[in-house]
Amino acid sequence: MHEVTLEPVPQRPYEEVFGADRTARLHTAAEQLRTRLGGRTIWNVNSTAAGGGVAELLYGLVPLARALDVDVRWLVIDGDPEFFAVTKRLCTRIYGAAGDSGDLGPAELSHYLQITDSEAARLADWVGPGDVVVVHEAQPAGLVQAARRLGAFVVWRGHTGSDVPNEHTEDGWAFARRFVEAAHATVFLNPQHVPAWAPRSRVIPPSIDPCSPKNTTLDPAVAAGILERVGILHGGGELPTSVPMPIGPDVLVQRPATVVRDGPAPAPDTPMVVQVSRWDRLKDMTGVLDAFLLAGHPDAYLTLAGSEVHGVSDDPEAEEMFDDCRRRWAELPERDRHRVQLACLPMTDLRENAVVVNALQQHATVVVQKSLAEGFGLTATEAMWKGRPVVAGAVGGLKEQIVPGESGLLVDPYDIGSAGAAVRRLLDDSGFARKLGAAARERVHERFLPDRHLLDWAALIEQLAAAVPA
């Protein structure tokens, strides 16, 4: 276990986004929470500092909370490959999918406990009586009891779930429930994912950081230049070696992406369909490829982008999923291979990775997030904030974000034909696409920015501290 140390951020860039009234409400809530905590700490515990939605959230929320003088910190557990294979299987089952079809039996539970018990022994180095511990997802769920024994208020935060629970969901929850039930409270991303037995459950949607390298506004020429520098576009114009940020140092853009394609990179004026996600079976990159081909738009180009396959420590299936996608691409006729590229983005510098994702989303003509299952889907939120029209699977939190026909298009993720038709519609009707993009940005501004998110958490922690003895 180790701490991810994050410093407070300047508040002014956020105030410009939130506006005066929302900023004032945030400061009032922070003052009340500081009084309630009385010098105690809020600890977040998860399984990786790089890649995935939990890390994305914490990089945005923790520095802003600290800027408001609330002592919020972040711990990451350690584990071996077998542990992360088990927890990947567990999260996939809670999503309602079979995953690798491996067991979640006594042997897997024994190894899970071996790791989490070892990590629990280290928790006392940081956590003290009266602190608040937010345990994120199934990987560190085994620490809930340990945090309670230390006298902390414990909240378990779920980021996965199934819209329609099935035997796989039941299998996953049967494993995780013994740990999650011990929490003082539970938090989920959307109401469909809350099991009936969850203690003191609450729904708190996530948010994106509008001032981060991933979400700050880029000039179109700069975005194209970034993509040329990393090898995703050809002839982008400006070739920045560094990109100014509203918070923190300039971001250096120097590491090329690992790109699989046949032929030259697309030109900047080529209509581009983009999906950015983990190389994960539930993100269905091969399904996006099939939908793009069915869209039948001969002038468009598809970019499927994810982290380099060894870049996310708690995702052991990434290499296998990328290889599946590459094999599917290799089987295409030559004319189709020339219109598709697979890009693995370096994770050595997370800010560099983020600004490349930002450039991809801002440059895209259409953004797709055709997940088969989803907790929330922050990549869709990010694209919506950038004013992009989004085609998303009608699952999980994607249904909470997108009002069909108003702020994006929702499709049955298993219906490749409807996904292809939705992509074709947006490529053919630029006026409709712009209308959706504008409404999408406004919806994110109203509902999915960090001031609302922090206010929700402040209210929960105040209620928990007032009502529940540690």
Side-chain angles (χ1 to χ4, degrees):
M1 182 179 293
H2 61 279
E3 183 174 358
V4 179
T5 304
L6 299 175
E7 297 300 322
V9 290
Q11 295 184 50
R12 181 163 296 279
Y14 292 96
E15 293 170 359
E16 293 174 355
V17 175
F18 302 154
D21 290 345
R22 287 170 60 166
T23 298
R25 287 196 295 272
L26 187 59
H27 279 273
T28 298
E31 182 178 359
Q32 293 172 346
L33 183 58
R34 289 195 303 270
T35 300
R36 170 66 66 185
L37 289 171
R40 292 168 293 184
T41 300
I42 300 170
W43 296 96
N44 293 275
V45 185
N46 84 314
S47 61
T48 181
V54 180
E56 193 79 37
L57 285 172
L58 295 179
Y59 275 113
L61 292 178
V62 172
L64 182 55
R66 294 179 64 79
L68 295 164
D69 294 325
V70 180
D71 189 16
V72 180
R73 299 177 184 271
W74 178 7
L75 299 172
V76 174
I77 64 168
D78 295 319
D80 59 17
E82 183 180 349
F83 172 79
F84 286 122
V86 169
T87 57
K88 176 70 176 182
R89 185 178 306 153
L90 174 58
C91 291
T92 303
R93 298 285 168 82
I94 292 173
Y95 268 130
D100 65 2
S101 299
D103 290 334
L104 287 175
E108 289 73 28
L109 176 61
S110 177
H111 190 77
Y112 179 89
L113 290 171
Q114 177 186 332
I115 298 297
T116 55
D117 287 351
S118 174
E119 294 298 284
R122 301 195 58 200
L123 199 61
D125 294 343
W126 288 279
V127 174
D131 286 352
V132 176
V133 177
V134 183
V135 178
H136 292 268
E137 265 299 19
Q139 294 92 337
L143 303 182
V144 169
Q145 283 282 20
R148 288 196 62 155
R149 288 193 295 269
L150 293 170
F153 301 101
V154 185
V155 181
W156 184 81
R157 168 57 139 152
H159 296 262
T160 55
S162 175
D163 294 357
V164 182
N166 57 25
E167 69 276 14
H168 303 307
T169 316
E170 292 175 3
D171 190 29
W173 280 130
F175 188 102
R177 178 175 177 174
R178 57 172 63 86
F179 308 111
V180 174
E181 275 192 317
H184 290 109
T186 53
V187 173
F188 296 84
L189 299 179
N190 66 75
Q192 290 178 294
H193 293 176
V194 183
W197 51 261
R200 292 177 179 265
S201 63
R202 177 168 300 198
V203 173
I204 299 181
S207 61
I208 61 165
D209 181 353
C211 301
S212 69
K214 186 174 280 188
N215 294 306
T216 190
T217 300
L218 299 174
D219 181 273
V222 172
I226 291 168
L227 298 180
E228 181 179 2
R229 180 165 290 280
V230 302
I232 291 173
L233 280 184
H234 175 69
E238 297 182 22
L239 285 175
T241 56
S242 66
V243 183
M245 291 290 119
I247 293 175
D250 294 355
V251 176
L252 297 177
V253 181
Q254 54 189 342
R255 297 172 181 85
T258 301
V259 182
V260 175
R261 67 170 168 258
D262 189 356
D269 60 353
T270 302
M272 184 179 286
V273 178
V274 171
Q275 177 160 307
V276 181
S277 65
R278 286 194 187 203
W279 300 104
D280 182 304
R281 70 179 77 243
L282 294 179
K283 307 304 182 184
D284 197 26
M285 293 285 219
T286 56
V288 177
L289 171 54
D290 292 339
F292 172 77
L293 296 176
L294 276 177
H297 200 292
D299 298 326
Y301 198 98
L302 174 66
T303 298
L304 299 175
S307 301
E308 58 188 358
V309 294
H310 301 296
V312 182
S313 62
D314 67 344
D315 191 356
E317 293 184 350
E319 186 171 8
E320 177 187 350
M321 294 301 102
F322 175 74
D323 286 344
D324 283 350
C325 201
R326 181 169 53 187
R327 282 193 294 271
R328 176 73 183 92
W329 170 85
E331 293 168 355
L332 297 176
E334 183 179 4
R335 66 180 184 280
D336 291 330
R337 286 201 309 274
H338 281 303
R339 299 194 298 126
V340 178
Q341 62 183 346
L342 316 179
C344 292
L345 309 181
M347 297 285 288
T348 305
D349 181 335
L350 296 182
R351 285 165 57 83
E352 181 185 23
N353 174 276
V355 84
V356 174
V357 171
N358 188 345
L360 256 176
Q361 291 172 331
Q362 291 198 187
H363 182 78
T365 311
V366 177
V367 173
V368 180
Q369 189 56 60
K370 202 189 75 61
S371 301
L372 303 178
E374 192 63 79
F376 193 76
L378 283 173
T379 51
T381 325
E382 293 157 5
M384 291 168 70
W385 177 245
K386 298 170 180 75
R388 298 297 88 199
V390 176
V391 175
V395 292
L398 294 169
K399 295 186 295 183
E400 305 297 318
Q401 296 177 62
I402 293 174
V403 179
E406 294 183 15
S407 55
L409 298 178
L410 291 175
V411 298
D412 178 345
Y414 291 96
D415 185 345
I416 300 298
S418 68
V423 169
R424 177 73 190 230
R425 182 182 181 188
L426 294 176
L427 289 172
D428 285 345
D429 190 342
S430 60
F432 180 57
R434 285 194 298 271
K435 179 182 176 182
L436 290 185
R441 181 177 173 88
E442 182 59 30
R443 187 165 174 81
V444 174
H445 187 266
E446 292 176 356
R447 295 171 179 259
F448 304 121
L449 292 184
D451 60 324
R452 187 277 309 158
H453 199 173
L454 290 174
L455 287 172
D456 286 352
W457 273 101
L460 172 60
I461 291 169
E462 285 217 41
Q463 291 175 12
L464 186 65
V468 180

